[in-house]
Amino acid sequence: MKEYLRDLDPETVVLMETLISDIKVNKVIKRICLPYSHQVEVVRISGGIWILWKDNIRLEVMVNYRQFIHMKIKFDDAMDWVLFTGVYRSFCRTLRKELWYGLSCIAKNMQLPWLVSRICQVCELKDLGFKGPRFT
């Protein structure tokens, strides 16, 4: 992570399945050195989504749900607002149904370009992979 931040100097970072307890969250975010952040907390041993961004990014969190963060982002004054949803998809069928219901509710009112991503390498987004057990 340190090398990624140093080498690419991203404007925005989305971390999924962080599995870091509430006690340690602020310490870890402070070390990442991006001035703004928003988190969906870990529930028991699953989930955890963080969005971190620099001060030149305008970002408004619109929906905060245990399986996704839905936001409106403006990268600079030349661009229009875009919608971005960072998704943590649970392996539990019931929770996936809740996720799809939540996303379908958002889609009904869509009026801006919308990127939904679990793992994505477009728009300068990079999958950092993971460390830990193979199955979570």
Side-chain angles (χ1 to χ4, degrees):
M1 177 81 166
K2 284 182 184 180
E3 290 109 21
Y4 171 76
L5 293 170
R6 183 190 65 236
D7 294 346
L8 298 177
D9 191 30
E11 304 289 313
T12 309
V13 174
V14 178
L15 300 173
M16 297 185 195
E17 202 168 2
T18 57
L19 300 178
I20 294 178
S21 69
D22 296 343
I23 297 166
K24 296 180 182 178
V25 167
N26 290 333
K27 272 197 234 179
V28 173
I29 287 175
K30 198 176 218 178
R31 285 193 309 197
I32 294 174
C33 295
L34 290 171
Y36 300 101
S37 67
H38 181 84
Q39 311 89 48
V40 174
E41 295 178 5
V42 172
V43 177
R44 287 183 230 109
I45 59 164
S46 68
I49 307 170
W50 300 353
I51 176 96
L52 300 98
W53 66 96
K54 290 184 176 179
D55 54 7
N56 62 320
I57 303 294
R58 292 173 58 196
L59 189 146
E60 296 176 20
V61 173
M62 300 171 72
V63 179
N64 188 60
Y65 180 67
R66 67 181 171 176
Q67 291 188 80
F68 64 84
I69 300 175
H70 177 66
M71 64 204 81
K72 190 164 75 166
I73 302 176
K74 189 168 188 170
F75 290 96
D76 60 43
D77 290 332
M79 280 184 62
D80 290 332
W81 287 94
V82 296
L83 298 173
F84 174 78
T85 306
V87 176
Y88 168 75
R89 192 199 71 155
S90 174
F91 288 99
C92 173
R93 180 182 298 251
T94 304
L95 292 177
R96 280 198 314 267
K97 286 181 181 180
E98 289 178 19
L99 168 65
W100 288 114
Y101 176 76
L103 293 175
S104 68
C105 289
I106 291 170
K108 289 178 185 176
N109 300 310
M110 197 56 51
Q111 296 180 2
L112 295 171
W114 185 25
L115 173 64
V116 178
S117 176
R118 180 167 185 261
I119 299 173
C120 179
Q121 291 180 321
V122 298
C123 301
E124 297 185 37
L125 297 177
K126 181 171 177 60
D127 178 10
L128 296 177
F130 74 97
K131 288 185 180 178
R134 183 171 173 198
F135 299 104
T136 60

